[in-house]
Amino acid sequence: MNPTNSTNQIHPANPKLDEKTISTQPIFEGKVISLQVDTVKLPNGQNATREIIRHPGAVAVLALNGDRMLVVDQYRQAMGRTEVEIPAGKLDPGEEPEAAAARELREETGYVAKSLRHLRSFYTSPGFADEIIHLYIAEELESGDMALDEDEFLEVSEITIEEAYQLMDENRISDAKTMMAVYAWDLYRTTGRF
């Protein structure tokens, strides 16, 4: 998938299953997400409601420093605990995903990548949210200064593939983007491709 595609540019594989939106009721508008309730017409002609979370999209970075991956450990209020994750963050208005990936890597870790390539884009929870994450691989890293947001507190570390799997076994890495990055990294190590 091209990282600049929006959900409106993706064509359904099976149009006979399309649901037609009849109405949309805005419920909540926040700084990160909005919530709406749509009334839709189903393929059988019946109506149904769909609760939809709208999100501006995000980036995540599989940053490799030799045989180690950069991760951040930070508290996640929704989970009620800290989580070890790859650097990531939401897109700013009008921001291209590649620029956002470079920005998030620098802000959260202090590193700048000489090589930044798009791997895949994927939806996090398509049953109720339109959030898309653009996953990048960053290599040839140069260290620098972090630039965290004022409400952002995290610790950066570098881990081996074995440590990544251990953290997954311990449920310290349990988010989809980081797990996907670990599997992609392992595939890259063993086959040379993603």
Side-chain angles (χ1 to χ4, degrees):
M1 175 185 298
N2 182 326
T4 58
N5 278 354
S6 74
T7 55
N8 294 335
Q9 296 171 318
I10 297 171
H11 300 288
N14 196 345
K16 69 182 179 186
L17 298 177
D18 282 1
E19 297 178 358
K20 308 293 184 217
T21 303
I22 297 169
S23 65
T24 297
Q25 178 185 2
I27 303 295
F28 172 78
E29 185 74 35
K31 79 176 198 181
V32 176
I33 63 156
S34 63
L35 172 64
Q36 67 190 50
V37 176
D38 289 355
T39 301
V40 299
K41 184 174 289 295
L42 302 172
N44 67 0
Q46 299 295 314
N47 289 351
T49 58
R50 302 288 187 239
E51 297 169 353
I52 307 292
I53 294 173
R54 298 288 183 198
H55 186 279
V59 294
V61 184
L62 167 55
L64 299 178
N65 198 8
D67 65 347
R68 295 179 174 271
M69 176 176 76
L70 295 181
V71 292
V72 298
D73 194 2
Q74 62 184 323
Y75 187 82
R76 293 302 198 183
Q77 178 65 24
M79 299 171 71
R81 65 177 176 85
T82 61
E83 175 80 358
V84 176
E85 304 176 22
I86 59 175
K90 72 177 184 67
L91 293 167
D92 289 337
E95 187 177 31
E96 289 296 320
E98 185 171 330
R103 175 181 53 76
E104 286 293 341
L105 177 64
R106 181 185 49 77
E107 287 178 0
E108 292 192 358
T109 70
Y111 281 90
V112 175
K114 289 184 181 177
S115 172
L116 189 63
R117 294 179 289 144
H118 178 253
L119 294 180
R120 295 282 183 264
S121 296
F122 56 93
Y123 291 94
T124 59
S125 300
F128 62 87
D130 69 351
E131 179 188 23
I132 187 169
I133 295 181
H134 308 284
L135 177 62
Y136 284 81
I137 180 170
E139 295 179 291
E140 300 176 52
L141 303 180
E142 293 180 352
S143 63
D145 295 325
M146 296 167 63
L148 298 175
D149 295 335
E150 65 180 31
D151 64 348
E152 193 171 31
F153 299 88
L154 51 84
E155 292 180 357
V156 181
S157 57
E158 298 182 12
I159 61 173
T160 64
I161 192 76
E162 294 80 15
E163 290 168 328
Y165 280 116
Q166 181 65 36
L167 288 166
M168 287 167 62
D169 289 344
E170 295 169 358
N171 234 15
R172 292 289 323 283
I173 291 177
S174 60
D175 70 295
K177 70 182 180 307
T178 304
M179 293 173 73
M180 179 180 277
V182 170
Y183 293 136
W185 179 27
D186 204 5
L187 180 66
Y188 184 48
R189 291 173 61 250
T190 56
T191 67
R193 60 184 297 268
F194 290 100

